[in-house]
Amino acid sequence: MFNTIKKFLPILLSLLFVIACGGFDGPQSTFDTHGPVAKEQADLFYLILWAGMVVLVAVELVIIYIYIKFRRKKNSTRIPSQTHGNTKLEIMWTILPAIFLAIVSVPVLSAIWTIGTPPKNPDVVVNVHGHQYWFEFEYQDLDVVTANELHIPVGKKILINLYSNNVLHSFWIPKIAGKTDIIPNQGNYMWIQGDDVGMYYGQCAEFCGESHALMRFRVVVDTDEDFRAWISHQKSEAFVPNDPLEKSGYDIFMSSKAGCGGCHMINGSKKAKGKIGPNLTHFGSRQHMAAGILENNQVNLRNWIRNPDMIKPGNIMSGQAAVYMDPNKSLTESEVIALASYLQSLK
Amino acid sequence: MSDETTTGLSHRKLLIWVFLGSDCMFFASLIGTYLIYKGSGVLHPGPADVFDIPTTSVSTFVLLMSSMSMVFAYAYLVRDDIKAFRIWMFSTIIMGSTFLGFQVFEFSEFYFHDDLSPQTNLFGTTFYALTGTHGLHVTIGVIWLGIIFYSSLFRNTVTSKTNLDLDLAALYWHFVDIVWIVIFAVVYLFGTFTGFPSS
Amino acid sequence: MTTIPFKLPLNIKLYRPVSPTGVWGWLTTVDHKKIGVLYGVTAFIMFLTGGIEAMLIRTQLIAPELKIIAPEVYNQLFTMHATTMIFLAIMPLSAAFFNFIIPLQIGARDVAFPRLNAFSYWAFLAGALIMKSSWFLGGSPNAGWFGYAPITTATFNPGNGIDFWIIGLQVLGVASLAASFNFIVTIINLRAPGMTMMRLPLFTWMTFITAILLILAFPVITVALIELMLDRTFDFNFFNTKAGANPILWQHLFWIFGHPEVYILILPAMGIVSEVLPTFSRKPIFGYPAMVLAASFIAFMGWLVWSHHMFTTGLGPIANSVFTLTTMLIAIPTGVKMFNWLGTMWGGDIDFKTPTLFAVGFMSMFLIGGISGVMHSFSASDYQQQDTYFIVAHIHYVLFGGSIFGIFAGIYYWFPKITGRMYDEKLGKLNFWIMFIGQNLTFFPMHWVGMQGMPRRIFTYDSGMGWAFWNGFETIAAYAIAFGVLIFVINMIKSWTGGKKAGDDPWDGRTLEWSIPSPPPVYNFRDIPIVKSLDDFWHTKQKSSNSNTKVKSKTKVSDIHLPQPSYWPLLVAVGLTIAGFGIIYNLVFTGIGIGIMLITVCAWSFEPVNEPDSH
């Protein structure tokens, strides 16, 4: 009896898991779909999940039955019938799974083609560039370059082109679509569509180095109106701030000592034209920073400017910017505060 | 010592065949890499710029002939004509070394004259890796044959009774030759032959 | 220690050991049984180190945003954990059984090339030392066990870690190739009279198929590693994206090797299960020809599925469709094997001793891993699963629940034959249950966590993602697995040193290895058996239990010729090691190492061949 329970245990536990887990979906759950691509992928998964559960339970029950019925009684010396096989049975259990798989391959192949065929006339085209360790979003034809936050209009087909000039990355927004890898020189693409207004989590899903775990982003699905407003705002140039603290931050940013402009672009400025780091023109309007890992507020921003390597080990800014490499050029605390203030003013 | 094997073939004969099967996959991967990168990256210097087909045809011919002389060497050994065996063995080694000499000449022409190094572009990388690996195989073959030749000359241990040793070396040698024919066709001829002129 | 001289050219005399004892005996052994023990013990130690790496990984992930292990170290840990488990644990543990058991199962006195066999062990040890020494010599490889370019190129990965990985794998590759050449020739050429291929025990069949897969698959990764090494050391352009290279070349080469490699990892364990179940069920394997056919089909199809590891790399719908279909196809022979094992047990008189428990555990775990494998095969939905913990779950169900459980079944099954003693059955059962429950509790939740969007290879994660509870749970369960392994180690030490004497045939076995003493004498069989059927030993026992005749052996032990020990295999491996370290540090040493290898290989070839007797 106890032995029987021991055999049942894994099945019981598995069922418990399935039940227990069924409750709560996290921000990157692939079950909580908000777009046709993710939905088709989830539906396919449910199909094979149920079929798989049936097979699993059936076979495990057979194993349990075998244990109960055919286990050796103490001191038994019985030699059972030496069956060598059963051709009919063996043919049947070869053909039946084959038939099942043949049937199932129809929805699978159909999904492969739907998901793998980009829209002929996408509503928006975005070139996604993977960096170590952040995502850059370049809206082709719309003259907008930004980072960390991807805005798309609801219910529209978006073509995503994927580029990297460094290592492999992967672009993944679980609730909207399965991932596609970013491979240098390969020119991959995918299409997505968000059917519900809201903010969704994305994460890099191909190992890309020390801070791969910290390379994330957000996708904001806007109404048509909000999207157009966002685009035109992103196109606008940044002003030189009036507030004295923000202005002193602006001066530091543009100075050759700090050299921020060498890597970062601020549209409309003369000295910040760099394309190595994220475009910061509207940094203040983003909800998150450092590739989706921190909320965009003064405290986090100051920590980041003070010591980026503490937050994101191996990031390129810590490894290349003079203010972090050259002890003579490092930022004072008041400079950090001023810079943070300036950056947050860039709404 | 065991006389009987399940198949009747000697263990070592079977081993060399299995090894050559493995070596096939090795060269297939290198040739595959070459073909995948053909036409990619910086295109010049490219095959058409550097290859001297007439010269390479001569070295190919020499290598082919070395296989023929290997066949003769083996045939004479089996017949216990050690003197003739030595002559043909020596000629195989000379022809194999000549082939290697042509390779060295070709590499230095490409490197010093045409500015094609492995670092130059994808063609340089894949070409040198593939043909260099083949050249290493030939070198190992020449050393192997040299050792057998030496044993025959100075130790008198090579006779018709020990012909298996030569048989194994000969199989390896023929394999290396066949691989070269494939490389010559795929790399050299495909690389420069641009089709019949349309009239 | 007595020696016999042998002459090299140039009249150099060298001494060859005759009956060495102690450490020198182990260093010069060419006896397949000793080599099997060397493989097994070394591989198990490597398994423990891989386990420690896993425990560290799990500890870092027990809660969100922990800073126990720095990201750079974490990346080295998961790289080394996988590399260790695949190349330094599972493969050589399987090799331990190939070595010890195959000649016994086919009725031979040793393998076809005893010195090559010794060499493959020493080369394995060299590869293991090179790989593991990276921890102490400035940093281990940190780019995953699959080392995708371009992050493994010198541009993105200066420093020695990747070089250790490349050279370690190359040396291990040489070891594996040497061993596989040996086993192919042995199985083809040294079978006892009457043992046709269709009378081979299934473990031998699986070994044969595995070896063929290996010799064809390893050259591909050898080429990939050579290309990467040429890039890193000499600035070649194979993976230099600035020169126009496409990193996907690496992935193709790697997975054309990598997929057959996973069959190399599972087939031996399947072979062990196919031995254990019939023995403990007292019935022959159900559908022997189908088992052989299914394994052959799996091995063949294994070459046609590799891009299912690359579904998200943008191959296009045509390629994705083809590889989806071929991958689904390969599920069918795998299912056939499962059903045949069930058929073997059905109607049997099954003794659920520890080997049986591990074999049945294998079946139920591999079933789960197989089902999740079919889920991955649907490339469209794989876009959500790829690179998540869903895959980590699949991997561990098939490799831990599968290969490792199968290997443990083999360890317990053949423990009496190898050591001459019985293991402690109570400890064995405890070991099984703790490992079984631990494995399920650790890896089943990973299916869920993966579908909740947790990617792989991340050193930390945020709270609020829905992952924290299960990660903590998985870590505790992983500690339980470690405890189970501890029980195993205790059982092994206790039983090996003081277990009850086993006798020739403690399980009433079916195959030839049970017809000789435990542990086997150095010559294995006094008389080479003449085989009349599958499970010949079983039939002989049934017949002789009816009649009371015992055939007296006519062979004098002193007449049996065995291969002589040799130190050349060890020395060639030493040369290989030096050459390898030379590529990492200073090419002068590569030259020296190659020189040593040339000399020692030549000397080896001039040493008289001592193939084992077949009569």
Side-chain angles (χ1 to χ4, degrees), chain C residues 21-32:
Chain C
T21 51
V23 176
W24 188 237
W26 285 94
L27 293 176
T28 58
T29 186
V30 297
D31 176 352
H32 71 97

Side-chain angles (χ1 to χ4, degrees), chain C residues 68-232:
Chain C
I68 302 175
I69 301 206
E72 178 54 36
V73 177
Y74 184 88
N75 297 344
Q76 293 175 23
L77 279 171
F78 71 68
T79 305
M80 288 298 283
H81 165 70
T83 307
T84 299
M85 288 310 198
I86 291 172
F87 295 104
L88 302 181
I90 294 182
M91 287 178 77
L93 280 170
S94 304
F97 289 121
F98 300 161
N99 267 283
F100 203 101
I101 301 296
I102 299 292
L104 304 183
Q105 285 201 332
I106 63 175
R109 297 202 189 287
D110 206 314
V111 295
F113 300 103
R115 289 172 299 174
L116 187 64
N117 202 18
F119 168 73
S120 57
Y121 170 73
W122 295 114
F124 155 62
L125 183 64
L129 289 175
I130 292 173
M131 195 63 89
K132 292 312 252 202
S133 67
S134 61
W135 279 120
F136 310 107
L137 292 176
S140 291
N142 60 3
W145 82 278
F146 49 92
Y148 277 0
I151 203 169
T152 45
T153 60
T155 319
F156 297 100
N157 221 315
N160 281 336
I162 300 294
D163 298 316
F164 273 96
W165 183 73
I166 294 173
I167 300 304
L169 282 182
Q170 295 287 48
V171 172
L172 290 168
V174 168
S176 291
L177 283 167
S180 299
F181 291 143
N182 218 338
F183 284 107
I184 292 174
V185 176
T186 302
I187 292 172
I188 293 179
N189 240 7
L190 272 176
R191 287 169 280 143
M195 183 164 278
T196 60
M197 289 301 282
M198 293 306 269
R199 288 180 185 165
L200 281 179
L202 278 177
F203 178 67
T204 304
W205 252 117
M206 297 302 115
T207 305
F208 182 62
I209 295 174
T210 301
I212 293 179
L213 278 177
L214 212 147
I215 60 141
L216 296 174
F218 258 84
V220 184
I221 194 180
T222 305
V223 164
L225 290 168
I226 288 177
E227 292 177 357
L228 183 61
M229 187 204 77
L230 288 172
D231 272 19
R232 289 178 63 85

Side-chain angles (χ1 to χ4, degrees), chain A residues 245-246 248-250 252-255 257-260 264 266 280 283-284 289-290 293-312 315-319 321-326 329-346:
Chain A
L245 183 59
E246 294 168 8
S248 80
Y250 167 87
I252 297 165
F253 190 96
M254 300 297 171
S255 72
K257 176 207 166 193
C260 310
H264 293 284
I266 308 253
L280 298 176
F283 175 83
M289 52 169 281
I293 61 174
L294 294 170
E295 258 184 58
N296 190 351
N297 56 44
Q298 279 288 302
V299 174
N300 287 338
L301 189 49
R302 286 182 197 171
N303 286 336
W304 172 258
I305 296 172
R306 212 177 280 128
N307 191 349
D309 205 58
M310 268 268 266
I311 295 177
K312 195 178 263 200
N315 79 81
I316 291 179
M317 186 161 88
S318 304
V323 293
Y324 304 110
M325 302 292 288
D326 186 345
K329 290 198 175 168
S330 53
L331 299 165
T332 65
E333 185 58 22
S334 61
E335 285 173 327
V336 169
I337 294 175
L339 273 170
S341 171
Y342 168 60
L343 286 168
Q344 288 230 301
S345 78
L346 292 168

Side-chain angles (χ1 to χ4, degrees), chain B residues 16-28 63 67 70 134 137-138 167-183:
Chain B
I16 192 87
W17 277 109
V18 176
F19 169 75
L20 293 179
S22 190
D23 219 6
C24 267
M25 288 301 282
F26 187 74
F27 277 106
L63 193 64
S67 262
M70 173 64 92
H134 177 264
H137 275 73
V138 176
D167 196 4
L168 302 176
L171 274 168
Y172 176 80
W173 191 258
H174 294 314
F175 170 78
V176 166
D177 197 354
I178 294 173
V179 170
W180 179 253
I181 295 172
V182 175
I183 294 177

Side-chain angles (χ1 to χ4, degrees), chain C residues 582-602:
Chain C
I583 298 184
I584 302 174
Y585 289 111
N586 186 334
L587 286 168
V588 167
F589 287 99
T590 305
I592 295 174
I594 291 179
I596 294 177
M597 282 200 288
L598 273 169
I599 298 170
T600 47
V601 168
C602 289

Side-chain angles (χ1 to χ4, degrees), chain C residues 7 56 77 125 127 182 240 281 288 312 411 480 569:
Chain C
K7 282 172 73 172
L56 290 169
L77 279 171
L125 183 64
N182 218 338
N240 179 2
S281 305
Y288 176 94
T312 57
I411 294 176

